[in-house]
Amino acid sequence: MKLTPRKINAFNLFKLPAVYFTGVRVKTITRESCSVRVRHKWINQNPFKSMFWAVQGMAAELTTGALVLMKIRGSGKNISMLVSNNNASFTKKATGKITFECKDGNLVDDAINKTIETGEGQTLWMQSIGTNEKGVVVSTFNFEWSVKLKTK
């Protein structure tokens, strides 16, 4: 089954409702990248009238996690995935439409191939950059993903 933005967004509605109801939506997903958009609104704002950092984090994590999930499904193997570490920096107030994009699909291929070849868990860092409608970076998130072949 091919992962599409529509399928991911429907999954989020039923399995990750906080993501869905705060307005986080996958816009595109390819083998190399994933983009997610979220609009600043009342439901996802902080007391300073900008987007709450956790909503930005959900959107950013989704860009990386969707790529990992897509690559695991494509491998045909039983592989687990887990965020083991993360960090973020915030450089501008997040208002309006914010688009997060991760372009690290090739890193996922390498990690999955290594875990299949060696049977050992692998880790990789993936970055998601959030920009506003003017193309100005508002936040940058880094996620360390761990992938491991599941044993029967």
Side-chain angles (χ1 to χ4, degrees):
M1 173 175 83
K2 183 179 179 188
L3 272 184
T4 64
R6 186 175 178 164
K7 287 177 185 175
I8 296 168
N9 292 332
F11 173 86
N12 289 342
L13 173 61
F14 295 106
K15 298 295 184 179
L16 299 169
V19 170
Y20 190 84
F21 290 118
T22 55
V24 175
R25 300 290 185 275
V26 174
K27 291 299 175 186
T28 63
I29 185 165
T30 68
R31 292 201 47 78
E32 297 81 29
S33 68
C34 181
S35 69
V36 169
R37 187 173 301 148
V38 59
R39 179 188 289 273
H40 169 241
K41 51 188 172 181
W42 175 84
I43 192 83
N44 63 24
Q45 77 176 357
N46 60 30
F48 310 107
K49 301 202 185 307
S50 64
M51 192 178 298
F52 186 52
W53 71 269
V55 174
Q56 294 180 63
M58 287 189 293
E61 183 185 357
L62 184 54
T63 65
T64 63
L67 284 171
V68 175
L69 183 60
M70 180 178 71
K71 302 294 181 132
I72 287 173
R73 285 188 174 188
S75 76
K77 301 291 184 184
N78 196 6
I79 298 173
S80 64
M81 59 188 273
L82 177 70
V83 171
S84 53
N85 200 351
N86 77 303
N87 62 60
S89 62
F90 303 89
T91 51
K92 182 144 178 75
K93 216 173 185 182
T95 57
K97 286 182 189 172
I98 307 299
T99 302
F100 286 89
E101 187 169 25
C102 176
K103 299 179 181 179
D104 294 335
N106 60 330
L107 299 177
V108 182
D109 289 328
D110 295 341
I112 288 177
N113 289 337
K114 279 185 186 175
T115 199
I116 291 170
E117 289 170 13
T118 66
E120 297 176 8
Q122 301 293 316
T123 62
L124 67 144
W125 280 94
M126 300 175 74
Q127 185 173 74
S128 183
I129 299 173
T131 56
N132 65 17
E133 294 161 290
K134 295 177 182 175
V136 176
V137 173
V138 298
S139 59
T140 303
F141 285 79
N142 298 292
F143 296 93
E144 182 182 32
W145 283 95
S146 172
V147 292
K148 184 178 179 184
L149 212 55
K150 289 182 184 177
T151 56
K152 295 180 182 183

